[in-house]
Every structure is written in C-alpha cells, then in structure tokens.
Amino acid sequence: MKRLFPLVFIALIALACGGGEDTTPSEAPATAPATAKAQDIDVKKIWKIRCIACHGLYGDMGTNGAANLQESDRDLAYRVNIITNGSENGVMTAFGEILSEEEIEAMAKYTMSFNKALEQ
C-alpha cells in the first residue's frame, strides 16, 4: 500500500497538468458566436482549470518542470506559441486544440502579469 500511494499521487499530478474541464468549441451552445470576445474570457478560471496544477496559483510552483513565470522574461509571441503548441521537450501541454486563439492570447498576457518586472 505504501508503494502504491506515491505512484497514484504522481499520476494525479501528471493528469492535472493537462486535464480539467474541456472547453472545445463543439461543446459550446449553438447560439454562442464561433469566437470568444476578449471581455468574455475568464483567464483566472482557465488558469485554475488548466495551469495551476503545474505552475501554481502565483506561477512559481514548477511542478513537473513547469517554468517559473515570476522569473520568465519571455515575450508575448513566445508565450502564445508555447501555450498553443506545447514545449518541444513535452513538459508543457499543447492547448491549441483546447483553447481558442483569443483564450490563448489572453492567457499569454495573464502569464506576463506574474513577473512584475515585465509590467514596468
């Protein structure tokens, strides 16, 4: 039993990084527009569902090799690309087929807010 617990715990963490509520357009109500408007995007909700397990509440947790966003000085284009396509080493999950382009850009901008030096 003691050997099983760490394996289950690690599996849950790995699943949490890419898991969560699916927000694919196919599940959107029929009356909803095809693209989300920037003001309708709840980045904090997306963060809590998709990102918090690895990056933590403040972007500095680093579980499973996640980047420390409080120290990252990457530009917006890089962040949009990494959120869309994932990382080459497989540490970062690709969200290009899960989130809309508008959601990805909003999330990229949100991740920049963790590094206070980038806001100046």
Side-chain angles (χ1 to χ4, degrees), residues 69-91:
L69 300 173
Q70 290 185 7
E71 296 176 353
S72 177
D73 60 355
R74 299 291 190 157
D75 65 7
L76 183 63
Y78 176 86
R79 291 168 192 252
V80 166
N81 180 54
I82 203 86
I83 294 169
T84 303
N85 302 310
S87 62
E88 291 179 11
N89 61 7
V91 172

Side-chain angles (χ1 to χ4, degrees), residues 40-95:
D40 295 338
I41 297 171
D42 186 350
V43 292
K44 290 183 180 182
K45 180 179 179 181
I46 296 170
W47 181 262
K48 289 176 183 174
I49 292 170
R50 303 279 181 200
C51 313
I52 202 168
C54 295
H55 290 285
L57 185 60
Y58 304 107
D60 62 346
M61 191 161 78
T63 303
N64 296 329
N68 182 338
L69 300 173
Q70 290 185 7
E71 296 176 353
S72 177
D73 60 355
R74 299 291 190 157
D75 65 7
L76 183 63
Y78 176 86
R79 291 168 192 252
V80 166
N81 180 54
I82 203 86
I83 294 169
T84 303
N85 302 310
S87 62
E88 291 179 11
N89 61 7
V91 172
M92 173 72 182
T93 301
F95 290 98

